[in-house]
Amino acid sequence: MIRDYSKFLPPSGSRKIPKREPSSLEKFGWKPFFSQQIDVDAAADAPPVRVVEVHRTGLRVLGESLDTLIPPVPNATVGDWLLYDPQKPSNSQVLERRSVFARRAPGSDRKRQLIAANVDTVFIVSSCNKDFNIARLERYVALAFEAQVTPVIVLTKADLCDNPEAYVKAANTISNRVLVEALNALSEEPNARLAPWCKPGQTIAFLGSSGVGKSTLVNALFREGIVDTAAIREDDSKGRHTTTRRQLHFTAEGCAVLDTPGMRELQLTDVEAGIADVFADIVALARQCRFRDCRHDSEPGCAIQGALERDEIDPDRLARWNKLTAEERFNASSLAERKTADKALHKMINAIQQKNRK
Ligand SMILES: Nc1nc2c(ncn2[C@@H]2O[C@H](COP(=O)(O)OP(=O)(O)OP(=O)(O)O)[C@@H](O)[C@H]2O)c(=O)[nH]1
Ligand SMILES: [Zn+2]
């Protein structure tokens, strides 16, 4: 039997598949990852909305013809998708995240605080000058990997430097999973060079020290102004505007840009997996050491020492890996463990002082 497949093919003459306009949810960053989590019937009663602002008193959410302020929802952060419960908004359910930036609270309980959710790309910004520091870049890349966000290294001030290629080359050694762009942030370059990651429906963030050009890059992306549907302004009880703590701004192209002070204070906490991703080659070697608890010092059968002797790994990079993992271990240790360590230290100091007094 000869089957007629023609009904499955596009009608002749219309070979080009028409480009579908993104829905408003897609413009806000909705992706198949989220649709897979919901059941279509339930979504009619509890439609998906995105948290675009986090205030002290509540959240601003955007959805299909919906833009409203709701009271805080437990465990929701900027960038989250919620299934909006119109009867009791604070009961809205947080959808599983594609990515999340978190940090350990500075207080004594050191609780995990969510900074931002569902960021697709983070631009790790440094400059082709003294700010450039491989160890710091590695740290940021580890944070991004841990958060499941794609890192892209952007080296600004290429126009002020004789040999930007040297910086690009150095940054390229960090991980073969990270692309590096060097540019002049004050020129026309940023829009074209960052465009692949700033498409409609994408959510981006910036990380980097002060003065490297983060604001300059953001300004370049917003050259046509900030498209904030900002109809709502929140006043506190005294009629003053309360400051927005965490926010997504949309560019004219429809890319969401994260604006949150918390990103600056991101520390290395619980980034063990991220560090292992950045230093995947060294971690793979460490697994081949004869002893499971090998300290890669002078133990027999140490694969890392072997690789060093054969010039297969960079000793500086190994030193940075050691430092980062030690830091991560310290940051991840519980308060109780730190107290014990502090007590032990205190006892030791006391003992030394007593000995000196004798
Ligand atoms: N020539 C040149 N100047 C740049 C470039 N990028 C940034 N600058 C300048 O460097 C200075 C600092 O840039 P900002 O964009 O304010 O840096 P930032 O990272 O936002 O700094 P913070 O707001 O302190 O975190 C400004 O005077 C910029 O004009 C660049 O690629 N080339
Ligand atoms: Zn070893």
Side-chain angles (χ1 to χ4, degrees), residues 156-157 159-160 184-186 209-216 264:
T156 58
K157 312 196 184 183
D159 55 310
L160 301 178
N184 171 2
L186 291 173
S209 350
S210 181
V212 292
K214 298 182 298 296
S215 314
T216 309
R264 284 167 204 257

Side-chain angles (χ1 to χ4, degrees), residues 35-101:
S35 6
Q36 282 162 14
Q37 298 178 46
I38 64 168
D39 128 18
V40 184
D41 295 332
D45 299 327
V49 293
R50 192 160 197 203
V51 178
V52 294
E53 288 175 23
V54 176
H55 302 263
R56 202 158 29 86
T57 51
L59 312 172
R60 178 172 170 208
V61 296
L62 296 184
E64 200 94 55
S65 44
L66 189 80
D67 178 350
T68 186
L69 280 173
I70 64 171
V73 173
N75 202 31
T77 189
V78 68
D80 263 327
W81 281 96
L82 311 178
L83 295 182
Y84 176 66
D85 181 340
Q87 263 72 50
K88 197 156 187 295
S90 59
N91 275 358
S92 300
Q93 187 203 326
V94 182
L95 290 183
E96 194 193 324
R97 303 170 173 121
R98 291 185 78 213
S99 68
V100 65
F101 281 114

Side-chain angles (χ1 to χ4, degrees), residues 285 288 302-313:
L285 279 172
Q288 294 166 25
C302 174
I304 288 184
Q305 287 299 329
L308 264 182
E309 279 158 26
R310 291 188 303 274
D311 246 353
E312 287 166 4
I313 50 175

Side-chain angles (χ1 to χ4, degrees), residues 124-324:
I124 296 172
V125 189
S126 181
S127 302
C128 300
N129 60 23
K130 283 206 308 290
D131 182 81
F132 186 91
N133 177 312
I134 286 280
R136 184 166 349 108
L137 290 173
E138 280 166 345
R139 201 174 273 261
Y140 283 137
V141 171
L143 270 173
F145 281 161
E146 186 73 33
Q148 308 273 354
V149 175
T150 304
V152 175
I153 296 176
V154 179
L155 303 176
T156 58
K157 312 196 184 183
D159 55 310
L160 301 178
C161 157
D162 289 336
N163 188 11
E165 293 75 29
Y167 290 93
V168 174
K169 201 170 161 212
N172 268 320
T173 64
I174 293 174
S175 164
N176 53 15
R177 289 170 52 195
V178 185
L179 291 176
V180 181
E181 298 282 343
L183 47 74
N184 171 2
L186 291 173
S187 72
E188 284 297 303
E189 283 179 290
N191 282 292
R193 304 282 294 283
L194 308 187
W197 300 280
C198 303
K199 298 205 174 100
Q202 292 293 299
T203 303
I204 61 166
F206 291 84
L207 270 175
S209 350
S210 181
V212 292
K214 298 182 298 296
S215 314
T216 309
L217 291 169
V218 169
N219 275 337
L221 296 178
F222 285 110
R223 70 194 185 291
E224 284 165 46
I226 289 180
V227 189
D228 261 346
T229 28
I232 302 166
R233 275 247 163 178
E234 194 187 24
D235 292 328
D236 68 8
S237 56
K238 296 192 183 78
R240 288 185 307 233
H241 289 316
T242 54
T243 42
T244 298
R245 293 288 305 283
R246 291 166 187 175
Q247 191 162 6
L248 291 180
H249 299 287
F250 290 86
T251 67
E253 286 82 14
C255 171
V257 182
L258 179 70
D259 175 11
T260 155
M263 288 293 280
R264 284 167 204 257
E265 293 122 52
L266 273 179
Q267 296 160 348
L268 273 192
T269 56
D270 306 315
V271 292
E272 201 183 336
I275 296 171
D277 284 342
V278 179
F279 296 94
D281 53 336
I282 297 183
V283 172
L285 279 172
R287 286 208 195 96
Q288 294 166 25
C289 294
R290 186 178 306 161
F291 301 111
R292 258 202 66 207
D293 59 350
C294 182
R295 292 169 60 204
H296 322 303
D297 202 358
S298 50
E299 287 90 340
C302 174
I304 288 184
Q305 287 299 329
L308 264 182
E309 279 158 26
R310 291 188 303 274
D311 246 353
E312 287 166 4
I313 50 175
D314 171 7
D316 293 339
R317 197 156 164 274
L318 176 64
R320 295 195 301 267
W321 175 67
N322 272 323
K323 188 157 171 255
L324 270 186

